[in-house]
Amino acid sequence: MSINVNGAPVALPQDPRMSLLDLLREQEHLSGTKKGCNQGACGACTILVNGERILSCLALAVQYDGQEITTIEGLGSADDLHPIQRAFVQHDGFQCGYCTPGQICSAVGMIAELQRGVPSHVTEDLGDEAIAFSQEEVRERMSGNLCRCGAYNGIIDAITESVAEVAQ
């Protein structure tokens, strides 16, 4: 039994109670995914599973046997930043940076949701196959990712600037 983390196979833990967050941080030493509240309320632990965003603190690692996990470390590198990572830097979408990995992973997942036509609470026409990008949609969809520093304007600007590039 294993999962793929950023393209590499990883053995599942012996203890079936280990969260996916703890597997990533403690077993795999991937410190980008943050442990914030450890209760699913802050979004700091957001990662992508098969391209969909989840809160890794609420997920048991054994549930993801055979799945593809992408953490902030798997989105880009210092030499080749993901478009959203670049935009976060350009728009000061971070201050202390603690929430930034979760914000970025969530933004990548959110853009994929828009492309798939997944509605949100503020989507006006649920019958539309394509959901129009708007700042209201971004704010609603990113509302589960908290930033204690209040860098929300930079975060929204970064996502808005990079959405077209990521959506390709």
Side-chain angles (χ1 to χ4, degrees):
M1 290 179 42
S2 70
I3 57 177
N4 283 326
V5 177
N6 301 326
V10 170
L12 290 173
Q14 296 291 345
D15 185 350
R17 300 169 297 174
M18 180 179 262
S19 72
L20 191 50
L21 173 62
D22 289 339
L23 174 91
L24 294 170
R25 291 185 59 80
E26 296 172 16
Q27 181 177 310
E28 295 306 304
H29 308 288
L30 295 171
S31 59
T33 305
K34 303 299 186 212
K35 186 178 277 195
C37 66
N38 209 28
Q39 298 176 352
C42 73
C45 68
T46 304
I47 61 170
L48 301 168
V49 176
N50 300 325
E52 294 187 27
R53 56 191 174 152
I54 69 159
L55 300 171
S56 62
C57 72
L58 297 179
L60 296 175
V62 296
Q63 293 175 285
Y64 294 91
D65 182 30
Q67 305 298 307
E68 183 64 40
I69 308 296
T70 305
T71 67
I72 191 70
E73 293 92 345
L75 284 178
S77 67
D79 298 328
D80 185 26
L81 294 177
H82 186 279
I84 292 180
Q85 289 172 315
R86 272 195 315 275
F88 263 69
V89 172
Q90 293 168 347
H91 290 279
D92 292 327
F94 58 91
Q95 287 182 22
C96 80
Y98 197 82
C99 72
T100 305
Q103 296 274 1
I104 291 171
C105 285
S106 188
V108 170
M110 179 212 63
I111 292 168
E113 289 170 7
L114 284 170
Q115 288 180 302
R116 290 193 316 273
V118 177
S120 76
H121 178 70
V122 298
T123 303
E124 290 188 25
D125 187 353
L126 299 180
D128 281 349
E129 288 184 28
I131 308 248
F133 176 83
S134 70
Q135 289 205 355
E136 185 180 27
E137 281 285 350
V138 172
R139 283 186 172 87
E140 170 62 25
R141 291 170 187 267
M142 294 295 293
S143 65
N145 290 82
L146 305 180
C147 173
R148 292 183 181 195
C149 298
Y152 294 113
N153 289 334
I155 292 167
I156 299 300
D157 290 346
I159 294 168
T160 300
E161 177 183 291
S162 59
V163 70
E165 187 176 356
V166 173
Q168 295 176 1

